[in-house]
Amino acid sequence: LVSPLPSTALTSSSELSSTHSPSFAKLNRRDGAGGWSPLDSNEQQWLQVDLGDRVEIVAVATQGRYGSSDWVTSYTLMFSDTGRNWKQYRQDDTIWVFTGNSNADSVVHHKFLHSMKARFLRFIPLKWNVSGRIGLRVEVFGCSYKSDIADFDGRSSLLYRFNQKLMSTFKDVVSLRFKSMQGDGVLFHGEGQRGDYITLELQKGKLSLHINLGDSNLHFSNSHTSVTLGSLLDDQHWHSVLIERFNKQVNFTVDKHTQHFRTKGDSDHLDIDYELSFGGIPVPGKPGTFQRKNFHGCIENLYYNGVNIIDLAKR
């Protein structure tokens, strides 16, 4: 992915000289001084690649600076969609340290255990040849990433209307990824005339799932359940959500953290009338008016019981 990029796509924290600039940091290139070297060799330096679009990255490779004693022996990676908010690459919930090079010209490849999706990638040198400086040439491997994305501006919502007036389900599966600019907002909501509802919303950067399996005999008093997961989810990074409900048993997953719980009440089914709304809870009969704060951000790969909601809306 790096070799065809223009030289301006590579930037850095600093450069030793114009011939050591990041524009010379492409793998196997020998022009300039044969690679990138920063002005000072310390752990505050970085080499950044702008891949032009959000892509799926599966591997990286590094070399030292051609024909020199300058190479990196270990490094970490950071990635971003915007070039402003950064996340560190992790494996097993640990910031992953990659083994670098032992000479200037051998290529060391690393295939990721988990691919990452990003536009910007930063190489952060941690250690380098004790007899030289930081020296780096890099390549990134992956492919274009196509996804269905819906943007919400805090004033809009997306409606999914059922083919029938009432949707009564014993099993529901909702999956999505979201990126939020604000700490509060409704991601999706559905409700029924008997008091049933399901709502997923951000509240002060945490994600709350509210479920009510209504029962007219109980007057809905004992069937409300709320569960909260995550924190700081309004960091403008992508977060994954999976909700799996079978009867009263629910698995609620945010990123890699899952909470298993049982809903209250005697009912096993969820009765939703007419539609599900995504991005807000519209007030019936009042277009553009919402019951709670609308979601402001992006949602991608949104599925409800196997239906691609965003793709359906585009049709």
Side-chain angles (χ1 to χ4, degrees), residues 160-167 191 193 272-276:
Y160 170 54
R161 289 196 167 93
F162 306 134
N163 293 326
Q164 57 205 61
K165 178 181 177 181
L166 172 67
M167 181 69 74
E191 63 182 67
Q193 294 181 358
I272 301 296
D273 292 336
Y274 303 115
E275 64 191 18
L276 286 172

Side-chain angles (χ1 to χ4, degrees), residues 187-205:
L187 275 80
F188 78 84
H189 171 79
E191 63 182 67
Q193 294 181 358
R194 295 183 59 224
D196 295 50
Y197 62 78
I198 180 169
T199 306
L200 180 69
E201 66 176 323
L202 274 171
Q203 295 178 312
K204 296 181 179 179

Side-chain angles (χ1 to χ4, degrees), residues 147-178:
S147 64
D148 292 304
I149 298 179
D151 295 308
F152 296 88
D153 60 5
R155 299 183 298 273
S156 59
S157 66
L158 182 64
L159 297 181
Y160 170 54
R161 289 196 167 93
F162 306 134
N163 293 326
Q164 57 205 61
K165 178 181 177 181
L166 172 67
M167 181 69 74
S168 183
T169 60
F170 287 92
K171 179 180 179 180
D172 291 291
V173 179
V174 181
S175 63
L176 60 93
R177 280 164 52 85
F178 74 91

Side-chain angles (χ1 to χ4, degrees), residues 4-65:
L5 293 174
S7 58
T8 53
L10 287 88
T11 55
S12 64
S13 52
S14 66
E15 56 189 55
L16 183 60
S17 72
S18 59
T19 59
H20 294 77
S21 78
S23 62
F24 301 120
K26 295 182 179 181
L27 203 73
N28 294 320
R29 294 284 289 271
R30 301 182 180 184
D31 43 352
W36 167 69
S37 285
L39 181 60
D40 298 305
S41 290
N42 56 43
E43 294 184 9
Q44 282 69 57
Q45 307 301 324
W46 46 262
L47 174 67
Q48 177 177 311
V49 181
D50 178 357
L51 296 163
D53 277 307
R54 193 161 179 250
V55 298
E56 184 167 7
I57 304 168
V58 298
V60 293
T62 60
Q63 282 174 304
R65 192 168 60 81

